[in-house]
């Protein structure tokens, strides 16, 4: 096979596996893994890895035997391995019905998120006692951080500044910051042939590498070809009826009202295609079709299967290489900003990021909102003067005439 675009030719140097001692250790390790699978599934006999879909021992390939595909749709344990950015190999035993993994982060980052949530919950009218129970914090802690301005919360080094800026914007818009991920297994069940349909119908193009500035969040698009392909579609219509129905269901369930919502689709022809860990300053709802692939979420692996839906916010995520996977995968991702409410300005008709609702029930962009506020204030200031006119029995014409007469006398 020729080298893929954007990939470097690499040789992995491994120690010899032909010695009897190494082979004996390998057989013992495989046996231990399979026994663990057997115990977890409570089968009457340990499964034969060469025929069973219960588990996949990747190292079996070194013995000259063909291992079962790691992308099986069964509910048993699957032994998978993948290559992290930098070339490090990782192994894990996962299941296609696993819940979301427990996110591991630094103590400072976890505390920072709690403080932001405290500010948000306080703004929603929660009592200090309720916030304390929700966040498992003492009343003194809630008093200290729940009343502070979010800008005063010290930022830990491992949370990018651009992510903080985004979460601050969420707070100001009344939206929960650092939204937790949501996983819906087999969100779509009518998926037979859907991977192939997407692979053939979408307007794929060669994907390129992008770089994001850690401090500013600015994204630079390079001309370096990636190993995958991608395409974008404005709105939520792909032309595939069953997929469009599922996308509309996601829109309703997750209250997506961003007028500029769009789809970013990725095509992974096999396990040698990947996307490096990265973060967004918006929200994403990702549908997976085709082969199951490891998806890393804040550094923790989860196996996404055909028809699964994963909704994330600013979590760091990626799809690492899985050389043992020979089948392809397509991801269809909805990208949207939850602070964009999908309404045009009632005054000028323009769609904008932040819309303000006036007392008249209409929505205004920032410029029109200021104009409306100025007009409203002027109208309020006019009330006392009008009342005075009414109280004295004078008409507006009388006041104007008197004013004109005074101005003529001054000259």
């Amino acid at each position: 096979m020729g080298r893929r675009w954007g990939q470097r030719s690499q040789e992995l140097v491994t120690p010899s596996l032909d010695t009897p001692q190494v082979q004996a250790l390998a057989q013992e390790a495989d046996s231990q893994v399979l026994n663990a699978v057997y115990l977890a599934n409570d089968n009457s006999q340990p499964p034969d890895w060469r025929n069973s879909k219960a588990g996949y021992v990747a190292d079996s390939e070194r013995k000259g035997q063909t291992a079962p595909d790691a992308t099986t749709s069964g509910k048993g344990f699957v032994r998978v391995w993948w290559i992290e950015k930098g070339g490090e190999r990782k192994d894990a035993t996962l299941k296609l019905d696993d819940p979301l993994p427990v996110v591991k982060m630094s103590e400072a980052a976890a505390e920072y998120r709690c403080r932001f949530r405290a500010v948000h919950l306080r703004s929603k009218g929660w009592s200090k006692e309720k916030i304390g129970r929700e966040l498992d914090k003492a009343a003194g802690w809630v008093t200290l951080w729940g009343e502070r301005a979010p800008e005063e919360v010290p930022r830990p080094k491992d949370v990018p500044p651009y992510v903080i800026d985004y979460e601050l914007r969420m707070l100001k818009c009344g939206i929960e910051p650092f939204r937790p991920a949501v996983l819906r297994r087999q969100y779509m069940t009518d998926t037979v042939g859907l991977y192939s349909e997407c692979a053939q119908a979408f307007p794929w193009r060669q994907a390129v590498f992008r770089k994001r500035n850690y401090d500013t969040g600015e994204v630079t698009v390079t001309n370096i070809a990636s190993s995958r392909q991608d395409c974008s579609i404005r709105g939520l219509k792909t032309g595939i009826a069953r997929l469009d129905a599922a996308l509309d269901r996601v829109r309703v369930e997750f209250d997506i009202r961003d007028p500029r919502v769009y789809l970013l689709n990725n095509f992974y022809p096999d396990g040698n295609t990947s996307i490096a860990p990265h973060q967004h300053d918006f929200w994403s709802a990702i549908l997976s079709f085709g082969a199951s692939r490891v998806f890393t979420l804040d550094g923790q692996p989860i196996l996404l299967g055909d028809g699964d839906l994963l909704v994330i916010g600013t979590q760091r995520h990626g799809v690492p290489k899985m050389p043992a996977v020979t089948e392809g995968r397509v991801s269809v991702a909805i990208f949207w900003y939850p602070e964009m409410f999908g309404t045009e300005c009632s005054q000028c008709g323009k769609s904008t990021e932040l819309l303000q609702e006036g007392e008249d029930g209409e929505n205004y962009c920032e410029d029109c909102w200021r104009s409306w506020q100025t007009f409203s204030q002027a109208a309020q200031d006019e009330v006392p003067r009008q009342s005075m006119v009414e109280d004295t029995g004078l008409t507006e014409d009388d006041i104007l005439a008197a004013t004109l007469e005074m101005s003529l006398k001054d000259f």
Side-chain angles (χ1 to χ4, degrees), residues 108 112 115 152-162 164 214-215:
Y112 187 80
R115 292 172 181 176
E152 297 178 8
V153 179
R155 178 184 70 86
K157 294 182 179 180
D158 52 344
V159 180
Y162 72 89
I164 300 306
Y214 183 85
D215 294 318

Side-chain angles (χ1 to χ4, degrees), residues 59 236-237:
D59 288 343
L236 301 179
K237 296 292 184 181

